Each structure stands twice: as C-alpha cells, then as structure tokens.
Amino acid sequence: MSHHVRELTEKRELDSLSPYAAKAAESDGRLVAIPDDPVRTCYQRDRDRILHSKPFRRLKHKTQVFIDPAGDHYRTRMTHTLEVSQIARTIGRALRLNEDLIEAIALGHDIGHTPFGHAGESALDDAVRGYWSDFPSMDHIPPGFRHYEQSLRIVDHLENLNLTMETRAGIGGHSKGRNDLSAHDGEPTSTLEAAVVRISDRIAYLNHDLDDALRSGIIDDVPLQFNEMGRCHSQRIGTMVEDVIVRSLDQPAIRMSPWLLACMNELKEWLFENVYLLYPQKYPDISKAKNVVQELFTYFLVEGNLPEGYEGIQGAVDYIAGMTDRFAIDTYVRIKLPSAWKA
C-alpha cells in the first residue's frame, strides 16, 4: 500500500507538471541503483539525504560575506542556501516544474564551501595551485579548488549520498562567479530545474548581500539607478522573480527581460566594486582569515597531521573545506599557538 503513495505522486507529476519539467518517474537514476522508497520520489529522497547530512548542518557556521559579524541578523551560508531554495521553489511552482528536484539542488549547491566564504575559497585555491605548480607531473593533485566541484565530491564520495543524476548535475553546474548573467544561463544544460536554481542563486545573493552591506554600514544607501527594481529588499526580489516567471511561462528555458538582465548585471558589478572588493580594505581580518586557511593547508600536508580517514593533498583539501569558521580558527590556535602547561 505504501508503494502506492509514491506511484500516485509520480503520476500526479506526469499529469500536472510542465512538459519541460523533470519527472521523478523518468529520472536517469543513481550512480548505484537502490530500491525505490515506498513513499518518497527519488528527488524527495535526494532532498532529505542532503538536509540530514553533516556538511549541510555545518553551513550555519560558515561565512556568507561578513566574517563573524557581531549582529545576529547577517546571512550565513545556511541562510543563503535557504533563501535560494525559497526563491527557486517560488519560480518553479509558477512554471509547473519539479519543486522537489529544485529544492534538492538548492540545498546542496553550496555544501562544498570553505570556511570564511569566498575569501577562504580563494585562499585554498591559491594554496592548491601553488602546490600543483611545484609538482605538475603528479596527476593525483587537484589543479585548484572550486566550491561547486567540492560540493559534488562531498555528495559522491565523502558522504556517499548517491544522489540522482539530475540533482548531481544541478549541484555541479550552478556557479557563475563574477561573470555576467546572460540568456545562455537560463538554458537547460541538464534540467530546467537546475537553471532555475542557477538564476535564483544570483537573485538571492544580490539582494541579501546588499541588505547585509546596508546593515553593516559599509554602504550608506542603494544607488538611485536600482530603485526601478524596488525601493526595499522585498520589492527588488519580487520584481526579479515576477520578471523571470512571466518571461519563462511555457518556455523551454528560463528567461528574463533584457532590462532586468542589464539591471542585475549592473547591480552585481556595483556590489563587487563597493562591497566585495572594498570590504577587505575596511576589514583587514580578511587577510588573517586567508592566512588561517593557507597555514592549515601547509600543516595538514605533513604526513601524520591529518585525522584518520584523510590522506595526501586531497585529504587536506577535503578536511579544510569541510571546516566551519570557528573550527578552522580553533584548529589554527591549537596547532600554532602555545597552550598553558598543566601539571
């Protein structure tokens, strides 16, 4: 009888979702085949496996932009993930796409992020590339570090979550970095659901990073040219979400108006120039955070310093990337600073 529940859900998807949506009953499956769940579809299982994993829980103590802020209302990597999921599901529901797949991709898209946000990612990437340049002929050395690649490594190897191909493809292909959004980003390189998360990631961070920058005092107000999208946080998100929905209804790709595309790219560049690149100058501890990551990398390359289960340069990368901000700091203090002598 319980198997009937899943089958009913899969039938409802086939009957009611958009012809462009991913359907659980038509999934390409997992790397390792397993029996079907009696109640949940394959994408619901993906979501639950990510949600209950330790790497997901650690996101609550990983930086979004501002490192260890004094206030309680700044975003963390966890709240960013939840905001991406909410925005993506809103768009997905309006377009009759698969919300379970959207949620699974959104919840897993950043679980490979380092401590200290993009400063930590940059520091670990520099450290790995520096090591690789010294030993270019060693194939087992990763050429650099990218958090989206690490996210896929976590779900495939470190946690062995055995997710569906569709969820894996969405997690591995979400990041844009500083590059402008273009019409190509709405194209379904794997699924439309993955494209929704990719666009929603940009919508989420543009808006909440702007909100946090105002809260921090690093900027005083929002430039007037962005008021056309809205005069407050919720209005700007609403404008972006509605534009994407209207332009993407019954379309085989996720689209937005040329006007919104230009506005979002302009806002992104403004944030880079006035927040992301200015923040390290106003807050010198960014360089300290990078130094922590690089010093940890050097320390854990020494044979015998890594915990059991980790080994070599890849083990050092995996161990450091999995740390929260505070665990990284505590580890650095433990290995670099003298402790009090006790009889």
Side-chain angles (χ1 to χ4, degrees):
M1 184 63 184
S2 57
H3 277 282
H4 192 52
V5 175
R6 189 199 74 254
E7 291 167 358
L8 282 175
T9 302
E10 292 174 344
K11 185 178 186 304
R12 280 196 298 269
E13 289 184 358
L14 293 169
D15 292 341
S16 63
L17 291 186
S18 163
Y20 303 115
K23 283 82 170 180
E26 299 172 352
S27 169
D28 288 336
R30 306 177 187 275
L31 292 174
V32 179
I34 57 175
D36 290 331
D37 187 83
V39 174
R40 298 168 298 166
T41 69
C42 57
Y43 300 142
Q44 289 173 334
R45 294 180 84 179
D46 284 355
R47 175 203 60 206
D48 294 348
R49 288 179 173 204
I50 294 167
L51 185 66
H52 293 289
S53 69
K54 289 183 288 186
F56 179 80
R57 293 198 295 273
R58 290 197 295 266
L59 294 178
K60 66 181 178 179
H61 292 301
K62 291 192 176 189
T63 291
Q64 173 60 23
V65 173
F66 296 94
I67 295 176
D68 193 24
D72 293 331
H73 302 133
Y74 291 88
R75 271 71 173 192
T76 64
R77 193 59 57 176
M78 170 74 81
T79 58
H80 162 72
T81 295
L82 297 177
E83 290 183 38
V84 172
S85 178
Q86 176 269 317
I87 291 170
R89 287 190 60 187
T90 297
I91 294 172
R93 179 173 297 186
L95 300 181
R96 294 188 297 125
L97 299 179
N98 197 307
E99 286 186 65
D100 295 322
L101 176 57
I102 284 174
E103 189 174 20
I105 295 171
L107 294 183
H109 84 280
D110 262 358
I111 60 172
H113 231 297
T114 57
F116 311 124
H118 288 288
E121 179 176 20
S122 174
L124 188 54
D125 182 52
D126 288 345
V128 174
R129 288 180 184 277
Y131 190 86
W132 184 84
S133 66
D134 293 334
F135 303 96
S137 62
M138 300 180 70
D139 294 337
H140 65 281
I141 299 176
F145 180 86
R146 295 289 181 269
H147 75 270
Y148 50 90
E149 295 173 350
Q150 187 68 13
S151 295
L152 201 54
R153 176 169 169 77
I154 285 172
V155 301
D156 282 351
H157 302 290
L158 302 181
E159 293 294 313
N160 192 25
L161 299 185
N162 193 26
L163 305 179
T164 61
M165 299 299 182
E166 295 79 14
T167 299
R168 294 179 62 254
I171 290 173
H174 83 274
S175 186
K176 282 292 293 178
R178 190 176 178 173
N179 295 330
D180 281 352
L181 280 176
S182 67
H184 175 73
D185 291 300
E187 297 294 331
T189 54
S190 55
T191 60
L192 269 189
E193 287 77 5
V196 167
V197 174
R198 188 161 56 247
I199 300 297
S200 299
D201 187 29
R202 180 65 63 93
I203 292 174
Y205 88 68
L206 286 179
N207 285 284
H208 65 51
D209 288 356
L210 182 63
D211 190 47
D212 279 353
L214 286 166
R215 177 175 292 107
S216 73
I218 196 171
I219 60 173
D220 297 323
D221 51 34
V222 179
L224 293 177
Q225 69 260 35
F226 301 124
N227 282 351
E228 194 174 355
M229 289 188 290
R231 293 180 175 272
C232 67
H233 178 72
S234 60
Q235 288 178 0
R236 286 186 290 270
I237 293 178
T239 296
M240 295 177 185
V241 168
E242 289 172 25
D243 186 283
V244 171
I245 290 171
V246 169
R247 295 281 175 159
S248 305
L249 277 170
D250 300 319
Q251 297 294 314
I254 305 303
R255 310 189 192 282
M256 60 184 72
S257 66
W259 165 78
L260 180 64
L261 193 63
C263 285
M264 288 180 64
N265 287 332
E266 184 181 0
L267 177 55
K268 179 262 299 177
E269 282 301 310
W270 188 87
L271 281 170
F272 266 94
E273 294 300 326
N274 294 276
V275 179
Y276 305 140
L277 299 180
L278 191 62
Y279 173 50
Q281 300 175 32
K282 292 191 173 184
Y283 186 68
D285 280 13
I286 288 285
S287 61
K288 296 180 184 178
K290 287 186 171 183
N291 185 63
V292 167
V293 171
Q294 291 170 336
E295 290 285 344
L296 289 176
F297 181 77
T298 300
Y299 174 80
F300 286 119
L301 284 180
V302 177
E303 187 175 357
N305 284 350
L306 278 169
E308 185 178 352
Y310 298 89
E311 61 179 28
I313 182 173
Q314 186 64 67
V317 170
D318 292 338
Y319 189 52
I320 295 168
M323 293 180 176
T324 61
D325 294 10
R326 64 184 182 183
F327 186 80
I329 292 171
D330 289 346
T331 303
Y332 177 85
V333 169
R334 176 177 59 81
I335 65 176
K336 289 294 182 178
L337 301 182
S339 57
W341 181 82
K342 295 180 181 180

